[in-house]
Amino acid sequence: MSNSSAGDHVPEVLIVDDTHEMRQMLGDLMTEAGYRVRHASDGTQALMSIYASLPDLVLLDVRMPTMDGYEVCKYLKADTATADIPVIFMSAMSDIQDITQAFELQAVDYIVKPFRSAEVLSRVKTHLDLRALQLRLEEMCFVRTRQLADEVLERRQAEQELLESQQQLRRLSGHIQEVREAERASIAREIHDELGQSLTVVRIDLTRLKGHLDAPRERIESQIDIVLQVLEQAANTARAISENLRPGMLDLIGLGPAIENHLKRFGEMTGIRCVLNMSNKGEFFVDDRVAIAIFRILQEALTNIARHARATLVTVQVVELGSELMLIVQDDGCGIAPQHIESGKTHYGLFGMSERAKLLGGQFVIDSEPGKGTRIEASLPIEPVETP
């Protein structure tokens, strides 16, 4: 009966015996059982054959000239490359000491001559099956070890990414706190230096006017005009402070006109030429959160351009594309180094714009090369909003 099927590995048995007849008999027996067979007539020839190509099992005679079977087995078990090859001794020596010595040398079995063919085949099959099972287990262990190693590596990478994210969030939190404190300080200065001084001037002028109610009408009207000018200046300051806290123009005139107004003011303040293109004639009926996010991203983009880009031209596009509202801001400035775009660790403006878009389920893309300007695209999902 064959011990292999089409496509399976056919076990190979090396028969080592100094008697030609014994080698021939065992060879025929193994071949009929479906095994491949090799022969060696002494220990030296056996070792050369084994190291040329490892067999699956060795049938080894004990008594041989020059190098006996025990010495051959000792060589095999001392080498990690051959230590796992099953060795079955076959000998006419049946003394218990000979059998014990064979097992001490890590042979897997000992068959006493003369033997029965069925017994030899049974023992050979048993040890070949055990060897095949051992190899499968080793392969499974290897595969599982690799899987565990990959899982450990992935877990460590995930932990490292989490740690970096936490560190980035801490840095961003610190930056936000610094910006918040700077904004508070700026608002406090504006209130104290501009509003406070304006109101003080008004109080002084009104007190002086109260004491001179009998003065000529022209003088009183002139003083009132001065007070009105100071009050107008104070109102403008209050509006600017309010605009920084929340873009009130969004509520009053809508997203499109607010963008147009802000871009106009930006051009006047910086001297940078600005071009605006909007779909829908600038009428966008979108959710309040989307409008604020688009406006704030535009503000941050323009702030970055003013501070870093050294640009002469800014092009802004606002386009409604089905279920998305897209903002594109492009400048002809000095550009951004790739490592600064990828890291986002120090450029909190870029990170903040990206986070604003992602929080609303949108996307944020930066395309920039040193010396070739910068282009940002923010696309936010929108839902139909009833027109007023």
Side-chain angles (χ1 to χ4, degrees), residues 192-203 230-231 233-234 237:
H192 179 271
D193 296 344
E194 296 188 32
L195 279 179
Q197 289 183 9
S198 296
L199 294 176
T200 299
V201 169
V202 169
R203 181 177 59 82
V230 174
L231 287 175
Q233 189 177 29
T237 299

Side-chain angles (χ1 to χ4, degrees), residues 173-190:
S173 177
H175 173 72
I176 291 174
Q177 190 63 33
E178 291 175 3
V179 170
R180 184 177 296 155
E181 291 301 325
E183 289 178 347
R184 288 173 177 172
S186 175
I187 292 172
R189 284 194 303 271
E190 290 179 7

Side-chain angles (χ1 to χ4, degrees), residues 265-276:
R265 289 174 51 198
F266 172 81
E268 293 172 349
M269 292 175 58
T270 62
I272 300 174
R273 188 164 71 92
C274 300
V275 177
L276 175 63

Side-chain angles (χ1 to χ4, degrees), residues 259 276-279 284 316-320 325-328:
I259 289 176
L276 175 63
N277 294 305
M278 293 190 289
S279 66
F284 304 104
V316 176
Q317 300 179 65
V318 187
V319 184
E320 186 174 335
L325 185 64
M326 176 174 287
L327 168 70
I328 302 173

Side-chain angles (χ1 to χ4, degrees), residues 109-254:
D109 212 336
Y110 193 101
I111 301 175
V112 178
K113 298 176 182 178
F115 51 78
R116 291 177 296 177
S117 298
E119 178 187 6
V120 174
L121 289 175
S122 177
R123 294 192 183 190
V124 167
K125 183 179 186 306
T126 296
H127 291 296
L128 284 174
D129 289 345
L130 289 173
R131 175 60 178 156
L133 178 60
Q134 178 187 1
L135 291 175
R136 285 198 296 271
L137 289 174
E138 289 176 356
E139 183 179 0
M140 291 172 60
C141 288
F142 175 76
V143 171
R144 183 54 183 158
T145 300
R146 288 291 302 271
Q147 289 175 343
L148 290 174
D150 291 342
E151 290 174 4
V152 170
L153 180 60
E154 290 176 359
R155 187 177 298 113
R156 288 179 178 174
Q157 290 176 340
E159 291 173 351
Q160 181 63 30
E161 291 174 359
L162 178 61
L163 178 61
E164 291 177 358
S165 297
Q166 291 173 339
Q167 292 174 344
Q168 189 178 45
L169 287 174
R170 282 195 291 269
R171 287 192 294 267
L172 180 61
S173 177
H175 173 72
I176 291 174
Q177 190 63 33
E178 291 175 3
V179 170
R180 184 177 296 155
E181 291 301 325
E183 289 178 347
R184 288 173 177 172
S186 175
I187 292 172
R189 284 194 303 271
E190 290 179 7
I191 292 175
H192 179 271
D193 296 344
E194 296 188 32
L195 279 179
Q197 289 183 9
S198 296
L199 294 176
T200 299
V201 169
V202 169
R203 181 177 59 82
I204 292 173
D205 287 346
L206 289 176
T207 301
R208 184 183 300 126
L209 187 59
K210 181 180 179 181
H212 297 82
L213 292 177
D214 56 348
R217 178 183 178 87
E218 293 79 6
R219 181 178 176 183
I220 293 176
E221 290 179 348
S222 175
Q223 196 66 39
I224 291 175
D225 288 339
I226 293 174
V227 171
L228 291 174
Q229 290 176 4
V230 174
L231 287 175
E232 179 64 24
Q233 189 177 29
N236 291 334
T237 299
R239 279 194 296 270
I241 295 173
S242 175
E243 186 68 22
N244 286 332
L245 293 175
R246 173 181 168 83
M249 287 188 297
L250 292 177
D251 301 321
L252 296 174
I253 58 178

